[in-house]
Amino acid sequence: MKKIPIYLVPGLAAGPEIFENLELSKDKYDVHYLEWITPIAQEESIANYAMRMSEEVKEENPVLVGVSFGGIMVQEMSKYLDVKKVIIISSVKHHKELPKRFEFVKFTKAYKFFPTKVVSNFEDYAQYFLGKSLKKRADIYKKYLSVRSELYLNWSIGTIIRWEQTKKDQNITHIHGTSDHVFPIKNINNCIQIEGGSHIMIITKAKKLTKIINDTLTS
C-alpha cells in the first residue's frame, strides 16, 4: 500500500518539535516536518511566502496539516498545490473567524509596535501576543517556540492580523478546542470540537488529534 504523504506546518514561531506527541504510523504515512523560512522582507505577501513554502512539498497529492498560524499557511499553500486534504488545528478557516480584537489591532496598526526585540524572553511573548492568562504556560512555550528572528516575528504577526481568505470550496477538516483562548470557539464554524482543548492541544491532546487525523484520512 502506498503511503500517504503528510506535511506538517507548526504554529507561529514554533519548530517541528510541536508535533512530537503525534503518533502517525510510519507504515501508513510518509511524514515531513516543514520549518518556517525567513521572509524576503517585511512587506512580503502571504501569497508569495506560501508559494515559496509550497516548493518544499516534493510529493504529489499530499495532506497538509497546520497548527494555528500554520493552519492559515497550509490553506495558502494549497492554492499552489494539488492536495489530498488540508487539516487545520487550533486555527481559523476565514478572517471572519479571527477574534474581534484583531480588527482593532488591524485598524490602528498597533501590530507594528509589537516589541519583538524582547521576544527572546518567552514570558514577554506569552504576555504580549497570547494574553496574560497564558503567561503561566511560559515554560511550555520556551521549549517549543524556537523561531526568534525579529524579521520573521514582525512579518508573521502582521500577516495574521491582515489575513483575508479568498479561496472558496475548501477541502478542509478543522479541529478546534473548546477552551482555545487565542481563537475562541465562539467565532469558529464547522469544526470538530475537542472538549477542554486549549490553543496548545497539539501538545496536550495529541492522542485525540492523532485519532481524528487517522479517521479523517482513512474514512
Side-chain angles (χ1 to χ4, degrees), residues 76-116:
E76 292 296 318
M77 290 169 64
S78 72
K79 298 173 183 179
Y80 304 97
L81 300 164
D82 184 13
V83 301
K84 177 183 179 68
K85 188 74 177 178
V86 171
I87 300 174
I88 66 173
I89 301 167
S90 307
S91 189
V92 294
K93 299 181 294 299
H94 196 277
H95 51 276
K96 292 182 179 179
E97 293 184 337
L98 289 168
K100 300 302 180 186
R101 67 179 182 274
F102 280 35
E103 280 294 321
F104 173 78
V105 173
K106 179 180 178 180
F107 177 75
T108 62
K109 297 185 179 180
Y111 59 88
K112 292 187 176 182
F113 303 101
F114 179 77
T116 51

Coordinates of all heavy atoms in Angstrom, one line a residue, residues 76-116:
E76 N -3.1 28.7 2.5 CA -2.5 29.5 1.4 C -1.6 28.6 0.5 O -1.6 28.8 -0.7 CB -1.7 30.6 2.0 CG -2.5 31.7 2.7 CD -3.4 32.4 1.8 OE1 -3.0 32.8 0.7 OE2 -4.5 32.7 2.2
M77 N -0.9 27.7 1.1 CA -0.1 26.7 0.3 C -0.9 25.9 -0.7 O -0.5 25.6 -1.8 CB 0.8 25.9 1.2 CG 1.9 26.6 1.9 SD 2.6 25.6 3.2 CE 3.3 24.2 2.3
S78 N -2.1 25.5 -0.2 CA -3.0 24.7 -1.0 C -3.4 25.3 -2.3 O -3.9 24.6 -3.2 CB -4.2 24.2 -0.2 OG -5.1 25.3 0.0
K79 N -3.3 26.6 -2.4 CA -3.6 27.4 -3.6 C -2.6 27.1 -4.8 O -2.9 27.4 -5.9 CB -3.7 28.8 -3.4 CG -4.8 29.2 -2.4 CD -4.8 30.7 -2.0 CE -5.9 31.0 -0.9 NZ -5.9 32.4 -0.5
Y80 N -1.4 26.5 -4.4 CA -0.4 26.3 -5.3 C -0.1 24.8 -5.5 O 0.8 24.4 -6.3 CB 0.9 27.0 -4.9 CG 0.7 28.4 -4.7 CD1 0.5 29.0 -3.4 CD2 0.8 29.3 -5.8 CE1 0.3 30.3 -3.3 CE2 0.6 30.7 -5.6 CZ 0.3 31.2 -4.4 OH 0.2 32.5 -4.2
L81 N -0.9 23.9 -4.8 CA -0.6 22.5 -4.8 C -1.9 21.7 -5.1 O -3.0 22.2 -4.7 CB 0.0 22.0 -3.5 CG 1.3 22.7 -3.0 CD1 1.5 22.4 -1.6 CD2 2.4 22.1 -3.9
D82 N -1.8 20.6 -5.6 CA -3.0 19.7 -5.8 C -3.0 18.8 -4.6 O -2.3 17.7 -4.5 CB -2.8 18.9 -7.1 CG -4.1 18.0 -7.3 OD1 -5.1 18.2 -6.7 OD2 -4.0 17.1 -8.2
V83 N -3.7 19.1 -3.5 CA -3.7 18.4 -2.3 C -4.8 17.4 -2.1 O -5.9 17.6 -2.7 CB -3.7 19.4 -1.1 CG1 -2.6 20.4 -1.2 CG2 -5.0 20.2 -1.0
K84 N -4.5 16.4 -1.3 CA -5.5 15.4 -1.0 C -6.4 15.9 0.1 O -7.6 15.7 0.0 CB -4.8 14.1 -0.5 CG -5.7 13.0 0.0 CD -4.9 11.8 0.6 CE -5.8 10.7 1.1 NZ -6.5 10.0 -0.1
K85 N -5.8 16.6 1.1 CA -6.6 17.1 2.2 C -5.8 18.2 2.9 O -4.6 18.2 3.0 CB -6.9 16.0 3.2 CG -7.9 16.3 4.3 CD -9.3 16.4 3.7 CE -10.3 16.7 4.8 NZ -11.7 16.8 4.3
V86 N -6.6 19.2 3.5 CA -6.0 20.2 4.4 C -6.6 20.0 5.7 O -7.9 20.0 5.9 CB -6.2 21.6 3.9 CG1 -5.8 22.6 4.9 CG2 -5.5 21.9 2.6
I87 N -5.8 19.8 6.8 CA -6.3 19.7 8.1 C -5.7 20.8 8.9 O -4.5 21.0 9.0 CB -5.8 18.4 8.7 CG1 -6.4 17.2 7.9 CG2 -6.3 18.3 10.2 CD1 -6.0 15.8 8.4
I88 N -6.5 21.6 9.6 CA -6.0 22.7 10.4 C -6.4 22.4 11.9 O -7.5 21.9 12.2 CB -6.5 24.1 9.9 CG1 -8.0 24.2 10.1 CG2 -6.1 24.3 8.5 CD1 -8.5 25.6 9.8
I89 N -5.5 22.8 12.8 CA -5.7 22.6 14.2 C -5.5 23.9 15.0 O -4.5 24.6 14.7 CB -4.7 21.5 14.7 CG1 -4.9 20.2 14.0 CG2 -4.8 21.3 16.2 CD1 -3.7 19.2 14.2
S90 N -6.5 24.2 15.8 CA -6.4 25.5 16.6 C -6.1 26.7 15.7 O -5.2 27.5 16.0 CB -5.2 25.3 17.7 OG -5.4 24.2 18.4
S91 N -6.9 26.8 14.7 CA -6.6 27.8 13.7 C -8.0 28.4 13.2 O -9.0 28.3 13.9 CB -5.8 27.2 12.5 OG -5.4 28.2 11.6
V92 N -7.9 29.1 12.1 CA -9.2 29.7 11.5 C -9.2 29.4 10.0 O -8.2 29.3 9.4 CB -9.2 31.2 11.8 CG1 -9.4 31.5 13.3 CG2 -8.0 31.9 11.2
K93 N -10.4 29.3 9.5 CA -10.6 29.0 8.1 C -10.8 30.3 7.3 O -10.8 30.3 6.1 CB -11.9 28.1 7.9 CG -11.7 26.7 8.5 CD -13.0 25.9 8.3 CE -14.2 26.4 8.9 NZ -14.2 26.5 10.4
H94 N -11.2 31.3 8.0 CA -11.6 32.6 7.3 C -11.2 33.7 8.3 O -11.3 33.6 9.5 CB -13.1 32.5 7.0 CG -13.5 33.6 6.1 ND1 -13.8 34.9 6.4 CD2 -13.7 33.5 4.7 CE1 -14.2 35.6 5.3 NE2 -14.1 34.8 4.3
H95 N -10.9 34.9 7.7 CA -10.6 36.0 8.5 C -11.8 36.5 9.4 O -11.6 37.1 10.5 CB -10.1 37.2 7.7 CG -11.0 37.6 6.6 ND1 -11.0 37.0 5.3 CD2 -12.0 38.5 6.5 CE1 -11.9 37.5 4.5 NE2 -12.5 38.4 5.2
K96 N -13.0 36.1 9.1 CA -14.1 36.4 9.9 C -14.2 35.6 11.2 O -14.9 35.9 12.1 CB -15.4 36.2 9.1 CG -15.6 37.2 8.0 CD -16.9 37.1 7.3 CE -17.1 38.1 6.2 NZ -18.4 38.0 5.5
E97 N -13.3 34.5 11.3 CA -13.2 33.7 12.5 C -12.2 34.2 13.4 O -12.0 33.7 14.6 CB -12.9 32.3 12.1 CG -14.1 31.5 11.4 CD -13.8 30.1 11.2 OE1 -12.6 29.7 11.1 OE2 -14.8 29.3 11.0
L98 N -11.4 35.2 13.0 CA -10.4 35.8 13.9 C -11.1 36.6 15.0 O -12.2 37.1 14.8 CB -9.5 36.8 13.1 CG -8.5 36.1 12.1 CD1 -7.9 37.2 11.2 CD2 -7.4 35.4 12.8
P99 N -10.5 36.7 16.2 CA -11.1 37.4 17.3 C -11.3 38.9 16.9 O -10.6 39.5 16.1 CB -10.0 37.4 18.4 CG -9.2 36.2 18.0 CD -9.2 36.1 16.5
K100 N -12.4 39.5 17.5 CA -12.7 40.8 17.2 C -11.6 41.8 17.5 O -11.5 42.9 16.9 CB -14.0 41.2 18.0 CG -15.2 40.3 17.7 CD -15.6 40.4 16.2 CE -16.8 39.5 15.9 NZ -17.1 39.4 14.4
R101 N -10.8 41.5 18.6 CA -9.7 42.4 18.9 C -8.7 42.6 17.8 O -8.0 43.6 17.7 CB -9.0 41.9 20.2 CG -8.3 40.6 20.1 CD -7.6 40.3 21.4 NE -6.8 39.1 21.3 CZ -7.2 37.8 21.4 NH1 -8.5 37.6 21.7 NH2 -6.4 36.8 21.3
F102 N -8.6 41.6 16.9 CA -7.7 41.7 15.8 C -8.1 42.8 14.8 O -7.3 43.4 14.2 CB -7.7 40.3 15.0 CG -6.8 39.3 15.7 CD1 -6.7 39.2 17.1 CD2 -6.1 38.4 14.9 CE1 -5.9 38.2 17.7 CE2 -5.3 37.4 15.5 CZ -5.2 37.3 16.9
E103 N -9.5 43.0 14.7 CA -9.9 44.1 13.9 C -9.4 45.4 14.4 O -9.0 46.3 13.6 CB -11.5 44.1 13.8 CG -12.1 43.1 12.9 CD -11.8 43.4 11.5 OE1 -11.8 44.5 11.1 OE2 -11.5 42.4 10.7
F104 N -9.5 45.6 15.7 CA -9.0 46.9 16.3 C -7.5 47.0 16.1 O -7.0 48.1 15.7 CB -9.3 46.9 17.8 CG -8.7 48.0 18.5 CD1 -9.2 49.3 18.5 CD2 -7.5 47.9 19.3 CE1 -8.7 50.4 19.1 CE2 -6.9 49.0 19.9 CZ -7.5 50.2 19.9
V105 N -6.8 45.9 16.3 CA -5.3 46.0 16.1 C -5.0 46.3 14.6 O -4.1 47.1 14.3 CB -4.7 44.6 16.5 CG1 -3.2 44.6 16.1 CG2 -4.8 44.4 18.0
K106 N -5.8 45.7 13.7 CA -5.6 45.9 12.3 C -5.9 47.4 11.9 O -5.1 48.0 11.2 CB -6.5 45.0 11.5 CG -6.4 45.2 9.9 CD -7.4 44.2 9.2 CE -7.3 44.4 7.7 NZ -8.2 43.5 7.0
F107 N -7.0 47.9 12.4 CA -7.4 49.3 12.1 C -6.4 50.3 12.7 O -6.0 51.3 12.0 CB -8.8 49.5 12.8 CG -9.3 50.9 12.6 CD1 -9.7 51.4 11.3 CD2 -9.2 51.9 13.6 CE1 -10.2 52.7 11.1 CE2 -9.7 53.2 13.4 CZ -10.2 53.6 12.2
T108 N -5.9 50.1 13.9 CA -4.9 51.0 14.5 C -3.5 50.8 14.1 O -2.6 51.6 14.4 CB -5.0 50.9 16.0 OG1 -4.7 49.6 16.4 CG2 -6.4 51.3 16.5
K109 N -3.3 49.6 13.4 CA -1.9 49.2 13.0 C -1.0 49.0 14.3 O 0.2 49.2 14.2 CB -1.3 50.1 12.0 CG -2.1 50.2 10.7 CD -1.4 51.0 9.7 CE -2.2 51.0 8.4 NZ -1.6 51.9 7.3
A110 N -1.6 48.7 15.4 CA -0.9 48.5 16.6 C 0.2 47.4 16.5 O 1.1 47.4 17.3 CB -1.8 48.2 17.8
Y111 N -0.1 46.4 15.6 CA 0.8 45.3 15.5 C 2.2 45.8 15.1 O 3.2 45.1 15.3 CB 0.3 44.3 14.5 CG 0.1 44.8 13.1 CD1 1.1 44.8 12.1 CD2 -1.1 45.3 12.7 CE1 0.9 45.4 10.9 CE2 -1.4 45.8 11.4 CZ -0.3 45.9 10.5 OH -0.5 46.4 9.3
K112 N 2.3 46.9 14.5 CA 3.6 47.4 14.1 C 4.5 47.8 15.2 O 5.7 48.0 15.1 CB 3.5 48.7 13.1 CG 2.8 48.3 11.8 CD 2.9 49.5 10.8 CE 2.3 49.1 9.5 NZ 2.4 50.3 8.5
F113 N 3.9 47.9 16.4 CA 4.6 48.3 17.6 C 4.8 47.2 18.5 O 5.2 47.4 19.7 CB 3.8 49.5 18.3 CG 3.6 50.7 17.5 CD1 2.3 50.8 16.9 CD2 4.6 51.6 17.2 CE1 2.1 51.9 16.0 CE2 4.4 52.7 16.4 CZ 3.1 52.8 15.8
F114 N 4.5 45.9 18.0 CA 4.8 44.8 18.9 C 6.3 44.7 19.2 O 7.1 44.8 18.3 CB 4.4 43.5 18.1 CG 4.6 42.2 18.9 CD1 3.7 41.9 19.9 CD2 5.6 41.4 18.6 CE1 3.9 40.7 20.7 CE2 5.9 40.2 19.3 CZ 5.0 39.9 20.4
P115 N 6.6 44.5 20.5 CA 8.0 44.5 20.9 C 8.8 43.3 20.6 O 9.2 42.5 21.5 CB 7.9 44.8 22.4 CG 6.6 44.1 22.8 CD 5.7 44.3 21.6
T116 N 9.0 43.0 19.4 CA 9.7 41.7 19.0 C 11.1 41.7 19.5 O 11.7 40.6 19.6 CB 9.6 41.5 17.5 OG1 10.1 42.7 16.8 CG2 8.2 41.2 17.0

